[in-house]
């Protein structure tokens, strides 16, 4: 029998807890629950298992509780700093294969020099009705590519390596090609440079991912270069009306 609505409320069973079977009076108060004993037992047995992070209830930094303990082994760090003094800026905290990192950074140096040369040449020879605007953009990019190469070279030096700017091997070490384009075809020039930017965006992203947390300084250098490469690509896309 279906009771009138005002009587249904009176005949509803007392609320129960979430420990009841699914669908049976869900979302109810524990105070009225027949599992009070079980809840108490659960509370007692809720001590953290071995290996579980124990939240620090002390509110810090705007009320957020810190969950990790952090300790510096100053004694070990001091010993290692003194023993490996010949390594300069490279410490045991840098977990990368340094030789591999220097090799990759030298590829970046070569890539940036090739990009600098291509943009510089394009800025000089570009011709046509839109020459002024396009050449100005190429010249600006050429300057920034050279700065990228210098930043990568500085980092190689800090890591104890030698920046390789040997012209004889630049093209083979570069990620991008030095494409000869028709100076009167501004669209082709813009497209070739956009392709080159897209290549370095991809290879630099890969390098940043490979570095990960192992060398924050080199990663920041690469991330800052990567950010400017994406700006270059965006500038070229705008000029092409893409
Ligand atoms: Fe660059
Ligand atoms: Fe670029």
């Amino acid at each position: 029998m279906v009771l009138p609505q005002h009587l249904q409320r009176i005949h509803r069973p007392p609320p129960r807890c979430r420990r009841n079977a699914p669908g049976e009076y869900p979302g109810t108060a524990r105070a009225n629950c027949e599992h009070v004993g079980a809840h108490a037992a659960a509370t007692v047995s809720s001590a953290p298992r071995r290996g579980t992070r124990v939240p620090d209830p002390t509110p810090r930094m705007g009320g957020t509780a810190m969950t990790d303990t952090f300790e510096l082994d100053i004694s070990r760090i001091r010993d290692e700093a003194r023993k490996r003094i010949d390594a300069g800026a490279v410490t045991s905290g840098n977990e990368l294969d340094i030789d591999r990192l220097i090799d990759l950074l030298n590829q970046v140096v070569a890539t940036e020099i090739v990009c600098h040369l291509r943009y510089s040449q394009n800025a000089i020879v570009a011709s046509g009705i839109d020459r002024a605007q396009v050449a100005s953009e190429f010249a600006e990019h050429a300057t920034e590519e050279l700065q990228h190469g210098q930043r990568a070279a500085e980092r190689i030096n800090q890591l104890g390596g030698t920046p390789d700017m040997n012209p004889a091997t630049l093209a083979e070490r570069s990620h991008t090609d030095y494409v000869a384009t028709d100076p009167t075809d501004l669209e082709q020039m813009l497209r070739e440079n956009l392709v080159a930017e897209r290549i370095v965006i991809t290879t630099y992203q890969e390098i940043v991912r490979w570095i990960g947390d192992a060398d924050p300084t080199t990663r920041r250098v690469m991330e800052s270069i990567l950010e400017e490469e994406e700006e270059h690509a965006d500038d070229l896309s705008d000029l092409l009306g893409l």
Side-chain angles (χ1 to χ4, degrees):
M1 183 183 73
V2 178
L3 294 171
Q5 198 164 12
H6 68 282
L7 292 176
Q8 284 180 13
R9 191 159 59 89
I10 296 170
H11 285 268
R12 186 185 303 158
R16 300 181 189 177
C17 75
R18 291 176 190 275
R19 292 178 64 90
N20 288 310
E24 189 180 5
Y25 317 118
T28 53
R30 283 186 178 184
N32 299 319
C33 172
E34 69 268 35
H35 298 116
V36 169
H39 287 309
T43 303
V44 170
S45 65
S46 64
R49 286 175 298 174
R50 199 173 168 192
T52 305
R53 278 185 177 177
V54 182
D56 178 354
T58 309
R60 301 191 185 115
M61 299 293 288
T64 305
M66 304 289 284
T67 56
D68 286 319
T69 56
F70 174 69
E71 287 183 19
L72 285 171
D73 187 348
I74 298 292
S75 172
R76 178 185 60 77
I77 293 169
R78 283 179 175 171
D79 285 347
E80 288 184 2
R82 193 168 294 280
K83 279 180 196 163
R84 297 287 319 280
I85 197 165
D86 56 316
V90 181
T91 65
S92 59
N94 190 327
E95 298 164 349
L96 289 178
D97 175 343
I98 299 299
D99 290 339
R100 178 69 181 131
L101 179 59
I102 289 170
D103 179 56
L104 283 168
L105 288 173
N106 264 322
Q107 291 177 24
V108 172
V109 169
T111 303
E112 295 295 344
I113 293 174
V114 168
C115 289
H116 166 74
L117 294 173
R118 189 183 56 251
Y119 272 126
S120 298
Q121 193 266 0
N122 287 183
I124 291 167
V125 302
S127 63
I129 194 164
D130 295 316
R131 175 201 142 67
Q133 187 180 13
V134 173
S136 167
E137 198 68 49
F138 286 164
E140 185 180 315
H141 288 197
T143 302
E144 290 173 350
E145 306 300 13
L146 190 58
Q147 291 169 353
H148 296 168
Q150 288 168 336
R151 272 146 65 184
E154 286 286 352
R155 186 57 187 156
I156 290 171
N157 193 50
Q158 290 172 359
L159 291 167
T162 304
D164 186 352
M165 300 184 184
N166 184 350
T169 58
L170 280 181
E172 68 189 52
R173 288 185 289 120
S174 171
H175 299 164
T176 59
D177 292 324
Y178 184 95
V179 180
T181 46
D182 177 359
T184 63
D185 190 343
L186 294 182
E187 183 174 340
Q188 188 200 13
M189 284 178 138
L190 288 165
R191 283 186 178 277
E192 287 300 331
N193 282 299
L194 178 54
V195 168
E197 296 290 355
R198 288 173 53 78
I199 290 169
V200 300
I201 288 167
T202 307
T203 58
Y204 293 179
Q205 283 173 340
E206 292 291 317
I207 293 172
V208 166
R209 288 193 192 100
W210 177 71
I211 294 171
D213 293 330
D215 179 353
T217 305
T218 306
R219 192 184 66 202
R220 277 204 311 278
V221 169
M222 289 305 302
E223 284 176 338
S224 68
I225 295 173
L226 174 60
E227 184 179 350
E228 291 182 18
E229 306 301 8
E230 293 188 15
E231 287 174 11
H232 290 174
D234 191 49
D235 293 340
L236 299 174
S237 292
D238 287 346
L239 286 170
L240 283 164
L242 301 177

